[in-house]
Coordinates of all heavy atoms in Angstrom, one line a residue:
M1471 N -0.7 -40.7 12.4 CA -0.1 -39.7 11.5 C -1.2 -39.1 10.5 O -2.1 -39.8 10.2 CB 1.0 -40.5 10.7 CG 1.6 -39.6 9.6 SD 2.8 -40.3 8.5 CE 4.1 -40.6 9.6
M1472 N -0.9 -37.8 10.2 CA -1.7 -37.2 9.2 C -0.8 -36.7 8.1 O 0.3 -36.2 8.3 CB -2.4 -35.9 9.8 CG -3.6 -36.3 10.8 SD -5.0 -37.0 9.9 CE -5.5 -35.8 9.0
K1473 N -1.4 -36.8 6.9 CA -0.7 -36.3 5.7 C -1.4 -35.1 5.2 O -2.7 -35.2 5.2 CB -0.4 -37.4 4.7 CG 0.4 -38.5 5.2 CD 0.8 -39.5 4.1 CE 1.7 -40.5 4.8 NZ 2.3 -41.3 3.7
H1474 N -0.7 -34.0 4.8 CA -1.3 -32.7 4.4 C -0.7 -32.4 3.1 O 0.5 -32.2 3.0 CB -1.0 -31.7 5.4 CG -1.5 -30.4 5.1 ND1 -2.8 -30.0 5.0 CD2 -0.7 -29.2 4.9 CE1 -2.9 -28.7 4.8 NE2 -1.6 -28.2 4.7
I1475 N -1.5 -32.4 2.1 CA -1.0 -32.0 0.7 C -1.8 -30.9 0.1 O -2.9 -30.9 0.1 CB -1.1 -33.2 -0.3 CG1 -0.4 -34.5 0.2 CG2 -0.6 -32.8 -1.8 CD1 -0.6 -35.8 -0.5
V1476 N -0.9 -29.8 -0.4 CA -1.6 -28.7 -0.8 C -0.9 -28.3 -2.2 O 0.3 -28.4 -2.4 CB -1.4 -27.5 0.1 CG1 -2.2 -26.2 -0.4 CG2 -1.8 -27.7 1.5
M1477 N -1.8 -27.9 -3.2 CA -1.1 -27.5 -4.5 C -1.8 -26.1 -4.8 O -2.9 -25.8 -4.6 CB -1.5 -28.4 -5.6 CG -0.9 -29.7 -5.4 SD -1.1 -31.0 -6.8 CE -2.9 -31.0 -7.0
W1478 N -0.9 -25.3 -5.3 CA -1.2 -23.9 -5.7 C -0.9 -23.5 -7.2 O 0.1 -23.9 -7.7 CB -0.5 -22.9 -4.8 CG -0.7 -22.8 -3.3 CD1 -1.8 -22.3 -2.7 CD2 0.1 -23.6 -2.4 NE1 -1.5 -22.4 -1.3 CE2 -0.5 -23.4 -1.1 CE3 1.2 -24.4 -2.5 CZ2 0.1 -23.9 0.0 CZ3 1.7 -25.0 -1.3 CH2 1.2 -24.7 -0.1
K1479 N -1.8 -22.8 -7.8 CA -1.6 -22.1 -9.0 C -1.3 -20.6 -8.6 O -2.1 -20.1 -7.8 CB -2.7 -22.2 -10.0 CG -2.8 -23.5 -10.7 CD -3.9 -23.5 -11.7 CE -4.0 -24.9 -12.4 NZ -4.8 -24.8 -13.5
L1480 N -0.3 -20.0 -9.2 CA 0.1 -18.7 -8.8 C -0.4 -17.7 -9.8 O -0.5 -18.0 -11.0 CB 1.5 -18.6 -8.6 CG 2.2 -19.6 -7.5 CD1 3.7 -19.3 -7.3 CD2 1.5 -19.5 -6.2
K1481 N -0.5 -16.4 -9.4 CA -0.8 -15.3 -10.3 C 0.4 -15.1 -11.2 O 1.6 -15.3 -10.7 CB -1.2 -14.1 -9.5 CG -2.4 -14.2 -8.6 CD -2.5 -13.0 -7.8 CE -3.7 -13.1 -6.8 NZ -3.7 -12.0 -5.8
D1482 N 0.2 -14.5 -12.3 CA 1.4 -14.3 -13.3 C 2.3 -13.3 -12.6 O 3.5 -13.4 -12.7 CB 0.8 -13.7 -14.6 CG 0.2 -14.9 -15.4 OD1 0.5 -16.1 -15.3 OD2 -0.7 -14.5 -16.3
H1483 N 1.7 -12.3 -11.9 CA 2.5 -11.2 -11.3 C 1.7 -10.9 -10.0 O 0.5 -10.7 -10.0 CB 2.6 -10.0 -12.2 CG 3.4 -10.2 -13.4 ND1 4.8 -10.2 -13.4 CD2 2.9 -10.4 -14.6 CE1 5.1 -10.5 -14.7 NE2 4.1 -10.6 -15.5
A1484 N 2.5 -10.8 -8.9 CA 2.0 -10.4 -7.6 C 3.1 -10.0 -6.7 O 4.2 -10.3 -6.9 CB 1.2 -11.5 -7.0
V1485 N 3.0 -9.0 -5.9 CA 3.8 -8.5 -4.9 C 5.1 -8.0 -5.6 O 6.2 -8.1 -4.9 CB 4.0 -9.3 -3.6 CG1 2.6 -9.5 -2.9 CG2 4.6 -10.6 -4.0
G1486 N 4.9 -7.5 -6.7 CA 6.2 -7.0 -7.5 C 7.1 -8.0 -8.1 O 8.1 -7.8 -8.6
R1487 N 6.6 -9.3 -8.2 CA 7.4 -10.4 -8.7 C 6.6 -11.2 -9.7 O 5.4 -11.2 -9.7 CB 7.9 -11.3 -7.6 CG 8.8 -10.7 -6.6 CD 9.2 -11.7 -5.5 NE 9.9 -11.1 -4.4 CZ 9.2 -10.6 -3.3 NH1 8.0 -10.8 -3.2 NH2 9.9 -10.0 -2.4
D1488 N 7.3 -11.9 -10.6 CA 6.6 -12.9 -11.5 C 6.3 -14.2 -10.8 O 6.8 -14.4 -9.8 CB 7.5 -13.0 -12.9 CG 8.8 -13.8 -12.7 OD1 9.1 -14.3 -11.5 OD2 9.6 -13.7 -13.6
R1489 N 5.7 -15.0 -11.5 CA 5.3 -16.3 -11.0 C 6.4 -17.1 -10.6 O 6.4 -17.8 -9.5 CB 4.4 -17.1 -12.1 CG 4.0 -18.5 -11.6 CD 3.4 -19.2 -12.8 NE 2.2 -18.4 -13.2 CZ 1.2 -18.9 -13.9 NH1 1.2 -20.2 -14.3 NH2 0.1 -18.2 -14.3
A1490 N 7.4 -17.3 -11.3 CA 8.6 -18.0 -11.0 C 9.4 -17.6 -9.7 O 9.7 -18.4 -8.8 CB 9.7 -18.1 -12.1
A1491 N 9.5 -16.3 -9.5 CA 10.1 -15.7 -8.3 C 9.2 -15.9 -7.1 O 9.8 -16.3 -6.1 CB 10.3 -14.3 -8.5
N1492 N 8.0 -15.9 -7.2 CA 7.1 -16.1 -6.1 C 7.1 -17.5 -5.8 O 7.0 -17.9 -4.6 CB 5.6 -15.5 -6.4 CG 5.5 -14.1 -6.2 OD1 6.2 -13.5 -5.4 ND2 4.7 -13.4 -7.0
A1493 N 7.1 -18.5 -6.7 CA 7.1 -19.9 -6.5 C 8.4 -20.2 -5.7 O 8.3 -21.0 -4.7 CB 7.1 -20.7 -7.8
A1494 N 9.6 -19.6 -6.1 CA 10.8 -19.8 -5.4 C 10.8 -19.3 -4.0 O 11.2 -19.9 -2.9 CB 12.0 -19.2 -6.2
R1495 N 10.1 -18.3 -3.8 CA 10.0 -17.7 -2.4 C 9.1 -18.5 -1.5 O 9.4 -18.8 -0.4 CB 9.5 -16.2 -2.4 CG 9.4 -15.7 -1.0 CD 9.0 -14.1 -1.0 NE 8.7 -13.9 0.4 CZ 8.1 -12.7 0.7 NH1 7.8 -11.8 -0.1 NH2 7.8 -12.5 2.1
M1496 N 8.0 -19.0 -2.1 CA 7.1 -19.9 -1.4 C 7.8 -21.2 -1.0 O 7.6 -21.6 0.2 CB 5.8 -20.3 -2.4 CG 4.8 -19.4 -2.4 SD 3.4 -20.0 -3.5 CE 2.9 -21.4 -2.5
K1497 N 8.7 -21.7 -1.8 CA 9.3 -23.0 -1.6 C 10.3 -22.7 -0.4 O 10.3 -23.4 0.6 CB 10.2 -23.3 -2.7 CG 11.0 -24.6 -2.5 CD 11.7 -25.1 -3.8 CE 12.7 -26.2 -3.6 NZ 12.3 -27.4 -2.9
A1498 N 11.0 -21.5 -0.4 CA 11.9 -21.3 0.7 C 11.1 -21.0 2.0 O 11.5 -21.5 3.1 CB 12.8 -20.0 0.3
E1499 N 10.1 -20.3 1.9 CA 9.3 -19.9 3.1 C 8.7 -21.2 3.8 O 8.7 -21.3 4.9 CB 8.2 -18.9 2.8 CG 8.7 -17.5 2.4 CD 9.2 -16.7 3.7 OE1 9.0 -17.1 4.8 OE2 9.7 -15.6 3.4
L1500 N 8.1 -22.0 3.0 CA 7.5 -23.2 3.4 C 8.6 -24.1 4.1 O 8.4 -24.7 5.1 CB 6.7 -24.0 2.4 CG 5.4 -23.3 1.9 CD1 4.9 -23.9 0.5 CD2 4.4 -23.4 2.9
E1501 N 9.6 -24.2 3.4 CA 10.8 -25.1 3.9 C 11.3 -24.7 5.3 O 11.7 -25.4 6.0 CB 11.8 -25.3 2.9 CG 11.4 -26.2 1.7 CD 12.4 -26.4 0.6 OE1 13.4 -25.4 0.5 OE2 12.2 -27.2 -0.2
S1502 N 11.2 -23.3 5.5 CA 11.7 -22.7 6.7 C 10.8 -23.2 7.9 O 11.2 -23.0 9.1 CB 11.8 -21.2 6.7 OG 10.4 -20.7 6.8
L1503 N 9.7 -23.7 7.7 CA 8.8 -24.2 8.8 C 9.2 -25.5 9.4 O 9.0 -25.7 10.6 CB 7.3 -24.3 8.3 CG 6.7 -23.1 7.9 CD1 5.3 -23.5 7.2 CD2 6.6 -22.0 8.8
L1504 N 10.0 -26.3 8.7 CA 10.4 -27.5 9.2 C 11.4 -27.3 10.5 O 12.3 -26.5 10.4 CB 11.2 -28.3 8.2 CG 11.4 -29.9 8.6 CD1 10.0 -30.6 9.0 CD2 12.1 -30.6 7.5
G1505 N 11.0 -27.9 11.6 CA 11.8 -27.7 12.9 C 11.4 -26.6 13.7 O 11.9 -26.3 14.8
R1506 N 10.4 -25.9 13.2 CA 9.9 -24.6 14.0 C 8.5 -24.9 14.4 O 8.1 -24.0 15.3 CB 9.9 -23.5 13.1 CG 11.3 -23.1 12.5 CD 11.3 -21.9 11.6 NE 11.7 -20.8 12.4 CZ 11.7 -19.6 11.8 NH1 11.5 -19.4 10.6 NH2 12.1 -18.6 12.6
I1507 N 7.8 -26.0 14.0 CA 6.5 -26.1 14.4 C 6.4 -27.6 15.1 O 6.6 -28.5 14.3 CB 5.5 -26.0 13.3 CG1 5.6 -24.6 12.7 CG2 4.1 -26.4 13.6 CD1 4.8 -24.3 11.5
P1508 N 6.0 -27.7 16.3 CA 5.8 -29.0 17.0 C 4.8 -29.8 16.2 O 3.8 -29.3 15.8 CB 5.3 -28.5 18.4 CG 5.7 -27.1 18.6 CD 5.6 -26.5 17.2
G1509 N 5.3 -31.1 16.1 CA 4.3 -32.1 15.4 C 4.5 -32.2 14.0 O 4.0 -33.1 13.2
L1510 N 5.2 -31.3 13.4 CA 5.5 -31.3 11.9 C 6.7 -32.2 11.7 O 7.9 -31.9 12.1 CB 5.7 -30.0 11.4 CG 6.2 -29.8 9.9 CD1 5.1 -30.4 9.0 CD2 6.4 -28.4 9.5
L1511 N 6.5 -33.4 11.1 CA 7.5 -34.5 11.1 C 8.3 -34.3 9.8 O 9.6 -34.7 9.8 CB 6.9 -35.8 11.1 CG 6.1 -36.1 12.3 CD1 5.3 -37.4 12.3 CD2 6.9 -36.0 13.6
H1512 N 7.7 -34.1 8.7 CA 8.3 -34.0 7.3 C 7.6 -33.1 6.5 O 6.4 -32.8 6.5 CB 8.1 -35.4 6.7 CG 8.8 -35.5 5.4 ND1 10.0 -35.6 5.1 CD2 8.2 -35.5 4.1 CE1 10.2 -35.7 3.8 NE2 9.1 -35.6 3.2
L1513 N 8.4 -32.4 5.7 CA 7.8 -31.4 4.8 C 8.7 -31.4 3.5 O 9.9 -31.4 3.5 CB 8.1 -30.0 5.5 CG 7.4 -28.8 4.7 CD1 6.6 -27.9 5.6 CD2 8.5 -28.0 4.0
E1514 N 8.0 -31.3 2.3 CA 8.7 -31.3 1.0 C 7.9 -30.3 0.1 O 6.7 -30.5 0.1 CB 8.6 -32.8 0.5 CG 9.3 -32.9 -0.9 CD 9.2 -34.4 -1.3 OE1 9.4 -35.4 -0.4 OE2 8.9 -34.7 -2.5
V1515 N 8.6 -29.6 -0.6 CA 8.0 -28.6 -1.4 C 8.6 -28.8 -2.9 O 9.8 -28.8 -3.1 CB 8.2 -27.2 -1.0 CG1 7.6 -26.1 -2.0 CG2 7.8 -26.9 0.4
G1516 N 7.6 -29.0 -3.8 CA 8.0 -29.0 -5.3 C 7.5 -28.1 -6.1 O 6.4 -27.4 -5.9
L1517 N 8.3 -27.7 -7.1 CA 7.9 -26.7 -8.1 C 7.8 -27.4 -9.4 O 8.6 -28.2 -9.8 CB 9.1 -25.6 -8.3 CG 9.4 -24.8 -7.0 CD1 10.5 -23.8 -7.3 CD2 8.3 -24.2 -6.4
N1518 N 6.7 -27.0 -10.1 CA 6.3 -27.7 -11.3 C 7.3 -27.5 -12.4 O 7.8 -26.3 -12.6 CB 5.0 -27.3 -11.9 CG 4.5 -27.9 -13.2 OD1 4.5 -29.2 -13.2 ND2 4.1 -27.1 -14.1
V1519 N 7.6 -28.5 -13.1 CA 8.6 -28.4 -14.4 C 8.0 -28.7 -15.7 O 8.7 -28.5 -16.7 CB 9.8 -29.4 -14.1 CG1 10.6 -29.1 -12.8 CG2 9.3 -30.8 -14.1
E1520 N 6.7 -29.0 -15.7 CA 6.1 -29.4 -16.9 C 5.0 -28.3 -17.3 O 3.8 -28.4 -16.7 CB 5.6 -30.8 -17.0 CG 6.6 -31.8 -17.1 CD 7.4 -31.8 -18.4 OE1 6.8 -31.5 -19.4 OE2 8.6 -32.2 -18.2
P1521 N 5.2 -27.3 -18.1 CA 4.1 -26.3 -18.3 C 2.9 -27.0 -18.9 O 3.1 -27.8 -19.9 CB 4.7 -25.4 -19.2 CG 6.2 -25.7 -19.3 CD 6.4 -27.0 -18.8
S1522 N 1.7 -26.6 -18.3 CA 0.5 -27.2 -18.8 C -0.6 -26.3 -18.1 O -0.5 -25.9 -17.0 CB 0.4 -28.7 -18.5 OG -1.0 -29.0 -18.6
D1523 N -1.6 -26.1 -18.9 CA -2.8 -25.3 -18.2 C -3.5 -26.2 -17.1 O -3.9 -25.6 -16.2 CB -3.9 -25.1 -19.3 CG -3.5 -24.1 -20.3 OD1 -2.6 -23.3 -20.0 OD2 -4.2 -24.1 -21.5
A1524 N -3.3 -27.5 -17.1 CA -3.8 -28.2 -16.0 C -2.9 -28.4 -14.8 O -3.3 -28.8 -13.7 CB -4.1 -29.7 -16.5
A1525 N -1.6 -27.9 -14.9 CA -0.6 -28.2 -13.9 C -0.7 -27.0 -12.8 O -1.1 -25.9 -13.1 CB 0.8 -28.0 -14.4
F1526 N -0.4 -27.3 -11.6 CA -0.3 -26.4 -10.5 C 1.2 -26.0 -10.4 O 2.1 -26.8 -10.8 CB -0.8 -27.0 -9.2 CG -2.3 -27.0 -9.1 CD1 -3.1 -27.7 -10.0 CD2 -2.9 -26.1 -8.3 CE1 -4.5 -27.7 -9.9 CE2 -4.3 -25.9 -8.3 CZ -5.1 -26.7 -9.1
D1527 N 1.6 -24.8 -9.8 CA 2.9 -24.3 -9.8 C 3.8 -24.9 -8.7 O 4.8 -25.1 -8.8 CB 2.9 -22.8 -9.7 CG 2.2 -22.2 -10.9 OD1 2.6 -22.5 -12.1 OD2 1.2 -21.5 -10.8
V1528 N 3.1 -25.1 -7.4 CA 3.8 -25.4 -6.2 C 3.0 -26.4 -5.5 O 1.8 -26.4 -5.5 CB 4.0 -24.2 -5.3 CG1 4.7 -24.6 -4.1 CG2 4.6 -23.0 -6.0
V1529 N 3.7 -27.5 -5.0 CA 3.0 -28.5 -4.2 C 3.7 -28.6 -2.9 O 5.0 -28.6 -2.8 CB 3.0 -30.0 -4.9 CG1 4.4 -30.5 -5.2 CG2 2.2 -30.9 -4.1
L1530 N 3.0 -28.8 -1.9 CA 3.5 -29.1 -0.5 C 3.0 -30.4 0.0 O 1.8 -30.8 -0.1 CB 3.0 -28.0 0.5 CG 3.2 -28.4 2.0 CD1 4.5 -28.3 2.3 CD2 2.3 -27.4 2.7
Y1531 N 4.0 -31.3 0.4 CA 3.7 -32.5 1.0 C 4.2 -32.5 2.3 O 5.4 -32.2 2.6 CB 4.3 -33.8 0.2 CG 4.2 -35.0 0.9 CD1 3.1 -35.8 0.9 CD2 5.2 -35.5 1.7 CE1 2.9 -37.0 1.5 CE2 5.2 -36.8 2.4 CZ 4.1 -37.4 2.3 OH 3.9 -38.6 3.0
S1532 N 3.3 -32.7 3.4 CA 3.8 -32.7 4.8 C 3.2 -33.8 5.6 O 2.1 -34.3 5.3 CB 3.6 -31.3 5.4 OG 2.2 -30.9 5.3
E1533 N 3.9 -34.2 6.6 CA 3.4 -35.2 7.6 C 3.4 -34.7 9.0 O 4.3 -34.0 9.4 CB 4.2 -36.4 7.5 CG 4.2 -37.2 6.2 CD 5.2 -38.3 6.1 OE1 6.0 -38.7 7.1 OE2 5.2 -39.0 5.1
F1534 N 2.4 -35.0 9.8 CA 2.2 -34.5 11.2 C 2.0 -35.8 12.0 O 1.6 -36.8 11.6 CB 1.0 -33.6 11.3 CG 1.2 -32.3 10.5 CD1 1.0 -32.3 9.1 CD2 1.6 -31.2 11.1 CE1 1.2 -31.1 8.4 CE2 1.9 -30.1 10.4 CZ 1.7 -30.0 9.0
E1535 N 2.3 -35.6 13.3 CA 2.3 -36.7 14.2 C 0.8 -37.2 14.3 O 0.5 -38.4 14.3 CB 2.6 -36.2 15.7 CG 4.1 -36.0 15.9 CD 4.4 -35.4 17.3 OE1 3.6 -35.1 18.0 OE2 5.7 -35.3 17.5
D1536 N -0.2 -36.2 14.3 CA -1.5 -36.6 14.5 C -2.5 -35.5 14.0 O -2.0 -34.4 13.6 CB -1.9 -37.2 15.8 CG -1.6 -36.2 17.0 OD1 -1.5 -34.9 16.6 OD2 -1.3 -36.5 18.0
A1537 N -3.7 -35.7 14.0 CA -4.6 -34.5 13.6 C -4.5 -33.3 14.5 O -4.6 -32.2 14.0 CB -6.1 -35.1 13.7
D1538 N -4.3 -33.5 15.8 CA -4.1 -32.3 16.7 C -2.9 -31.5 16.3 O -2.9 -30.3 16.2 CB -4.0 -32.7 18.1 CG -5.3 -33.3 18.8 OD1 -6.3 -33.0 18.2 OD2 -5.2 -34.1 19.7
A1539 N -1.8 -32.2 15.9 CA -0.6 -31.4 15.4 C -0.9 -30.7 14.0 O -0.4 -29.5 13.9 CB 0.5 -32.5 15.1
L1540 N -1.6 -31.3 13.3 CA -2.0 -30.5 12.0 C -2.9 -29.4 12.3 O -2.8 -28.3 11.7 CB -2.7 -31.5 11.1 CG -3.4 -30.9 9.7 CD1 -2.3 -30.2 9.0 CD2 -4.2 -32.0 8.9
T1541 N -3.9 -29.4 13.2 CA -4.8 -28.3 13.7 C -3.8 -27.3 14.3 O -4.1 -26.1 13.9 CB -5.8 -28.8 14.6 OG1 -6.6 -29.8 14.0 CG2 -6.7 -27.7 15.1
A1542 N -2.9 -27.6 15.1 CA -2.1 -26.6 15.8 C -1.2 -25.9 14.7 O -0.9 -24.8 14.8 CB -1.1 -27.3 16.7
Y1543 N -0.7 -26.6 13.7 CA 0.1 -26.0 12.6 C -0.7 -25.0 11.9 O -0.2 -23.9 11.6 CB 0.4 -27.2 11.5 CG 0.9 -26.7 10.2 CD1 2.2 -26.4 10.0 CD2 0.0 -26.8 9.1 CE1 2.6 -26.0 8.7 CE2 0.4 -26.5 7.9 CZ 1.7 -26.1 7.6 OH 2.2 -25.8 6.3
Q1544 N -2.1 -25.2 11.6 CA -2.9 -24.3 10.9 C -2.9 -22.8 11.6 O -3.1 -21.8 11.0 CB -4.3 -24.8 10.8 CG -4.4 -26.1 10.0 CD -4.0 -26.0 8.5 OE1 -4.0 -24.8 7.9 NE2 -3.8 -27.0 7.9
T1545 N -2.9 -22.8 12.9 CA -2.9 -21.6 13.6 C -1.5 -21.1 14.2 O -1.5 -20.1 14.9 CB -3.9 -21.7 14.9 OG1 -3.5 -22.8 15.8 CG2 -5.3 -22.0 14.3
H1546 N -0.4 -21.9 14.0 CA 0.9 -21.5 14.5 C 1.3 -20.0 13.8 O 1.1 -19.9 12.6 CB 1.9 -22.6 14.1 CG 3.1 -22.4 14.8 ND1 4.1 -21.5 14.4 CD2 3.7 -23.0 15.9 CE1 5.2 -21.6 15.2 NE2 4.9 -22.5 16.2
P1547 N 1.9 -19.2 14.5 CA 2.3 -17.9 14.0 C 3.3 -18.0 12.8 O 3.2 -17.2 11.9 CB 3.0 -17.2 15.2 CG 2.5 -17.9 16.4 CD 2.1 -19.3 16.1
E1548 N 4.1 -19.0 12.7 CA 5.0 -19.0 11.6 C 4.3 -19.6 10.5 O 4.6 -19.0 9.4 CB 6.2 -20.1 12.0 CG 7.2 -19.6 13.0 CD 8.0 -18.4 12.3 OE1 8.3 -18.4 11.2 OE2 8.2 -17.4 13.1
H1549 N 3.4 -20.5 10.6 CA 2.5 -20.9 9.4 C 1.7 -19.7 9.0 O 1.5 -19.4 7.8 CB 1.6 -22.0 9.8 CG 0.6 -22.4 8.7 ND1 -0.6 -21.8 8.6 CD2 0.9 -23.2 7.6 CE1 -1.2 -22.4 7.6 NE2 -0.3 -23.1 6.9
A1550 N 1.1 -18.9 9.9 CA 0.3 -17.7 9.5 C 1.1 -16.7 8.7 O 0.7 -16.1 7.8 CB -0.2 -17.1 10.7
R1551 N 2.3 -16.6 9.2 CA 3.2 -15.5 8.4 C 3.4 -16.1 7.0 O 3.3 -15.3 6.0 CB 4.6 -15.5 9.1 CG 5.7 -14.7 8.5 CD 7.0 -14.7 9.2 NE 7.5 -16.1 9.2 CZ 8.2 -16.7 8.2 NH1 8.3 -16.1 7.0 NH2 8.7 -17.9 8.3
V1552 N 3.7 -17.2 6.8 CA 3.9 -17.9 5.3 C 2.5 -17.8 4.6 O 2.6 -17.4 3.4 CB 4.6 -19.3 5.4 CG1 4.6 -19.9 4.1 CG2 5.9 -19.2 6.1
A1553 N 1.5 -18.2 5.2 CA 0.2 -18.3 4.6 C -0.2 -16.8 4.2 O -0.9 -16.6 3.0 CB -0.9 -18.8 5.6
E1554 N 0.2 -15.8 4.8 CA -0.2 -14.4 4.5 C 0.4 -14.1 3.1 O -0.2 -13.6 2.2 CB 0.2 -13.4 5.6 CG -0.3 -12.1 5.3 CD 0.5 -11.2 4.5 OE1 1.8 -11.5 4.3 OE2 -0.1 -10.4 3.7
F1555 N 1.7 -14.5 3.0 CA 2.4 -14.3 1.7 C 1.8 -15.0 0.5 O 1.4 -14.5 -0.5 CB 3.9 -14.6 1.9 CG 4.5 -14.6 0.5 CD1 4.7 -13.5 -0.3 CD2 4.9 -15.8 -0.1 CE1 5.3 -13.6 -1.6 CE2 5.4 -15.9 -1.4 CZ 5.7 -14.8 -2.1
I1556 N 1.4 -16.3 0.8 CA 0.9 -17.2 -0.1 C -0.4 -16.7 -0.6 O -0.8 -16.6 -1.8 CB 0.8 -18.7 0.4 CG1 2.2 -19.3 0.5 CG2 0.0 -19.5 -0.6 CD1 2.2 -20.6 1.2
G1557 N -1.3 -16.2 0.3 CA -2.5 -15.6 0.0 C -2.5 -14.4 -1.0 O -3.4 -14.3 -1.7
R1558 N -1.4 -13.8 -1.0 CA -1.3 -12.6 -1.9 C -0.8 -13.1 -3.3 O -1.0 -12.3 -4.2 CB -0.3 -11.5 -1.3 CG -0.9 -10.9 0.0 CD 0.0 -9.7 0.5 NE 1.2 -10.2 0.9 CZ 2.4 -9.5 0.9 NH1 2.3 -8.2 0.5 NH2 3.5 -10.0 1.3
V1559 N -0.2 -14.2 -3.4 CA 0.3 -14.6 -4.8 C -0.4 -15.7 -5.4 O -0.2 -16.0 -6.5 CB 1.9 -15.0 -4.6 CG1 2.7 -13.8 -4.1 CG2 2.0 -16.2 -3.7
R1560 N -1.3 -16.4 -4.7 CA -1.9 -17.5 -5.3 C -3.2 -17.2 -6.1 O -4.0 -16.2 -5.7 CB -2.4 -18.6 -4.2 CG -3.5 -18.2 -3.3 CD -4.0 -19.4 -2.5 NE -4.8 -18.9 -1.4 CZ -6.2 -19.0 -1.5 NH1 -6.7 -19.5 -2.5 NH2 -7.0 -18.6 -0.6
A1561 N -3.5 -18.0 -7.1 CA -4.8 -17.8 -7.8 C -5.6 -18.9 -7.5 O -6.8 -18.7 -7.3 CB -4.4 -17.9 -9.3
E1562 N -5.2 -20.2 -7.2 CA -6.0 -21.2 -6.8 C -5.2 -22.1 -5.8 O -4.0 -22.1 -5.9 CB -6.3 -22.1 -8.1 CG -7.2 -21.6 -9.1 CD -7.4 -22.5 -10.3 OE1 -7.8 -23.7 -10.0 OE2 -7.1 -22.1 -11.5
R1563 N -6.1 -22.8 -5.1 CA -5.5 -23.8 -4.1 C -6.4 -25.0 -4.0 O -7.5 -24.8 -4.1 CB -5.4 -23.1 -2.7 CG -4.8 -23.9 -1.7 CD -4.7 -23.3 -0.3 NE -6.1 -23.2 0.2 CZ -6.4 -23.4 1.5 NH1 -5.5 -23.5 2.3 NH2 -7.7 -23.3 2.0
V1564 N -5.8 -26.2 -4.0 CA -6.5 -27.4 -3.7 C -5.7 -28.2 -2.6 O -4.4 -28.0 -2.5 CB -6.7 -28.3 -4.9 CG1 -7.6 -27.7 -5.9 CG2 -5.4 -28.7 -5.5
L1565 N -6.4 -28.9 -1.7 CA -5.7 -29.6 -0.7 C -6.4 -31.0 -0.3 O -7.6 -31.1 -0.6 CB -5.5 -28.8 0.6 CG -6.8 -28.4 1.4 CD1 -7.0 -29.4 2.5 CD2 -6.6 -27.0 1.9
V1566 N -5.7 -31.8 0.4 CA -6.2 -33.0 0.9 C -5.5 -33.3 2.2 O -4.2 -33.2 2.3 CB -6.2 -34.3 -0.1 CG1 -4.8 -34.6 -0.5 CG2 -7.0 -35.5 0.5
D1567 N -6.3 -33.7 3.2 CA -5.7 -34.1 4.5 C -6.1 -35.5 4.7 O -7.3 -35.8 4.5 CB -6.1 -33.2 5.6 CG -5.6 -31.8 5.5 OD1 -4.5 -31.6 5.1 OD2 -6.4 -30.9 5.9
Y1568 N -5.3 -36.4 5.0 CA -5.7 -37.8 5.3 C -4.8 -38.5 6.3 O -3.7 -38.2 6.5 CB -5.9 -38.6 4.0 CG -4.5 -38.8 3.3 CD1 -3.9 -40.1 3.4 CD2 -4.0 -37.8 2.5 CE1 -2.7 -40.4 2.8 CE2 -2.7 -38.2 1.9 CZ -2.0 -39.3 2.0 OH -0.9 -39.6 1.3
S1569 N -5.4 -39.5 6.9 CA -4.6 -40.4 7.8 C -4.5 -41.7 7.1 O -5.4 -42.4 6.7 CB -5.4 -40.7 9.0 OG -4.7 -41.5 9.8
P1570 N -3.2 -42.2 6.8 CA -3.0 -43.4 6.1 C -3.5 -44.6 6.8 O -3.3 -44.6 8.2 CB -1.6 -43.4 5.9 CG -0.9 -42.5 6.7 CD -2.0 -41.5 7.1
S1571 N -4.0 -45.7 6.2 CA -4.4 -46.7 7.1 C -3.7 -47.9 6.7 O -2.7 -48.0 5.9 CB -5.9 -47.1 6.7 OG -6.2 -47.1 5.4

């Protein structure tokens, strides 16, 4: 199993929407991937509720069958579609991929 965690800080305004609207759209778009990408076992998206300069706006927690499934996810057309939107609204991104032992 592989776990994939990503956090994003969003721009205040992008693609004609404010940060909150873009965060809500990101959540919906990311959640739409579950069941559409082989090897993606679990996906959870959270929106930050505690305003802080240190906080990120959106977090993705996902689980994959194995490292190959995670690699395939990265290039899957549905993921690419969502990633294109995210690229236009994000200011920062951090991530970690790991295999639990």
Side-chain angles (χ1 to χ4, degrees):
M1471 176 183 290
M1472 288 293 294
K1473 296 188 179 193
H1474 174 68
I1475 301 170
V1476 187
M1477 295 187 300
W1478 297 271
K1479 285 188 181 189
L1480 304 185
K1481 298 174 184 174
D1482 288 334
H1483 295 282
V1485 299
R1487 295 180 192 90
D1488 67 12
R1489 180 184 297 193
N1492 282 326
R1495 180 173 170 194
M1496 276 181 67
K1497 179 174 171 53
E1499 293 283 353
L1500 287 163
E1501 289 173 343
S1502 78
L1503 298 177
L1504 193 58
R1506 303 177 95 181
I1507 299 179
L1510 174 58
L1511 304 174
H1512 177 79
L1513 183 141
E1514 181 178 319
V1515 180
L1517 303 180
N1518 183 49
V1519 296
E1520 291 293 328
S1522 166
D1523 289 341
F1526 280 70
D1527 299 302
V1528 181
V1529 61
L1530 166 68
Y1531 170 82
S1532 52
E1533 296 176 354
F1534 294 84
E1535 288 177 354
D1536 54 28
D1538 290 338
L1540 176 57
T1541 299
Y1543 163 82
Q1544 299 293 346
T1545 59
H1546 192 281
E1548 287 297 315
H1549 176 263
R1551 176 185 59 79
V1552 175
E1554 190 277 327
F1555 168 73
I1556 292 171
R1558 294 187 296 151
V1559 301
R1560 75 172 168 95
E1562 292 181 53
R1563 177 181 77 140
V1564 295
L1565 68 95
V1566 62
D1567 296 321
Y1568 67 97
S1569 179
S1571 46

